[in-house]
Amino acid sequence: MIEPKSAPSFALPVWRRYLAYVTVAVMPISINVEKLMGARARVYFSPFDALLPLLALFLIYDLVTHKPWARFKRPPLSGVLWAALALFSRLWISSDSFPRGDMLKVWGKACLNPLMFGVIAVWVFQNIADSAAELRRLSLILGASFSLCLLLALKQYAGPIGLPYDPNNPAQALGGASHIRVAGWYDFRGVLGAHVALLTPAAAAFALMDKDVAVRWAAFSLVVVALCVTLAAGGFVGASVGVIAVIGAYSVKYSRLTGLLALSLLMLVIGVWHAWLVSVINSA
């Protein structure tokens, strides 16, 4: 009896998969290269900024040369609409003329960010992840990398309260992070809050629906720590609303009792966070 030949494997090359894993892992990392750039203000660079265009070029090359593993998938409509909204925002930023000077920089960043992360990044990784298992693996790598950032923030928040920095005495031992250093400047809080708002609802979905018990507990821990360490109100509200949406969808489809329990835990975390923040403000 002649056995039928198995279908040829059209999987992405191994080195490309590992390059994608590295790209996802370094996404939350950002380095201040102000001194290297000779700039007067902070300039942040992430390895992700260089690796993502590289992955996009590889993907375009695969599609043009008709590689067997390349399957074109359209970018999600929500990301395209988000980028288009940023592009046309110049209509209400400056209705009389094209934005110039600092306003042009603001408009440029408003266009670049959703185009880079809402369209290109999503399009690249949805083409790389050819199965649900691969998409899950990428999500877990991103969650693990972001968890390191959250643990670092938690270490500062839970550590001893130190003295504020004195520019007249730069060698003074501070003895820990002060309230001002913990809170950080607005852009620090905003960046962390944006990551929290985007990734915490995904972690909540893993905590509710993943089959691996260890992954579910790790994802639940990420949700709790993320909500406790973010001091950006917008990021906290966005993350909380996203988690509530995930819990609501789970309750409708699977178990209302489990959804109610998850919602109660979320309310407890919000209450503890609020009480801690009030105590910090009162003692500052």
Side-chain angles (χ1 to χ4, degrees):
M1 180 179 178
I2 300 177
E3 296 183 0
K5 296 182 179 179
S6 59
S9 177
F10 293 148
L12 195 69
V14 176
W15 69 270
R16 288 274 297 279
R17 288 188 181 277
Y18 280 99
L19 180 61
Y21 298 158
V22 172
T23 303
V24 168
V26 300
M27 192 184 82
I29 299 174
S30 183
I31 305 169
N32 185 4
V33 293
E34 173 185 349
K35 294 182 179 180
L36 296 177
M37 300 290 293
R40 296 182 179 179
R42 289 185 293 268
V43 178
Y44 295 101
F45 171 78
S46 171
F48 182 82
D49 299 335
L51 292 176
L52 178 63
L54 185 62
L55 285 176
L57 290 175
F58 282 141
L59 178 59
I60 293 173
Y61 174 79
D62 289 345
L63 292 171
V64 172
T65 56
H66 303 288
K67 296 294 184 182
W69 56 77
R71 297 288 187 273
F72 178 79
K73 298 178 182 178
R74 297 188 187 92
L77 180 60
S78 57
V80 175
L81 292 176
W82 181 22
L85 181 63
L87 179 64
F88 289 106
S89 64
R90 67 160 298 274
L91 297 177
W92 56 84
I93 289 178
S94 178
S95 58
D96 54 343
S97 62
F98 194 81
R100 298 179 182 178
D102 292 338
M103 192 59 67
L104 180 60
K105 294 180 181 179
V106 172
W107 178 70
K109 290 181 179 180
C111 294
L112 181 61
N113 287 340
L115 178 63
M116 183 114 173
F117 300 104
V119 178
I120 297 177
V122 175
W123 177 70
V124 167
F125 286 107
Q126 75 177 8
N127 281 276
I128 290 177
D130 55 356
S131 64
E134 186 67 15
L135 186 60
R136 176 180 180 272
R137 188 176 295 112
L138 289 168
S139 301
L140 291 178
I141 292 173
L142 176 58
S145 178
F146 186 55
S147 296
L148 298 178
C149 302
L150 296 178
L151 290 175
L152 178 61
L154 182 63
K155 177 180 180 296
Q156 290 185 332
Y157 289 15
I161 300 176
L163 299 173
Y165 175 74
D166 184 2
N168 297 322
N169 188 12
Q172 179 186 21
L174 302 179
S178 66
H179 293 315
I180 295 177
R181 290 171 60 203
V182 166
W185 298 110
Y186 177 78
D187 52 352
F188 294 152
R189 300 199 304 272
V191 170
L192 180 62
H195 280 80
V196 168
L198 289 171
L199 300 180
T200 303
F206 272 91
L208 287 171
M209 290 177 279
D210 198 88
K211 295 181 179 180
D212 192 317
V213 176
V215 171
R216 294 177 68 175
W217 277 105
F220 172 75
S221 302
L222 188 151
V223 172
V224 173
V225 174
L227 291 176
C228 288
V229 301
T230 179
L231 295 181
F236 181 82
V237 172
S240 300
V241 171
V243 172
I244 291 174
V246 171
I247 293 174
Y250 180 86
S251 301
V252 171
K253 188 172 179 61
Y254 296 103
S255 171
R256 293 184 179 180
L257 181 60
T258 304
L260 181 61
L261 177 61
L263 185 61
S264 301
L265 289 174
L266 176 63
M267 294 298 105
L268 177 62
V269 170
I270 293 176
V272 171
W273 180 88
H274 181 267
W276 175 83
L277 185 59
V278 170
S279 66
V280 168
I281 294 174
N282 292 335
S283 62

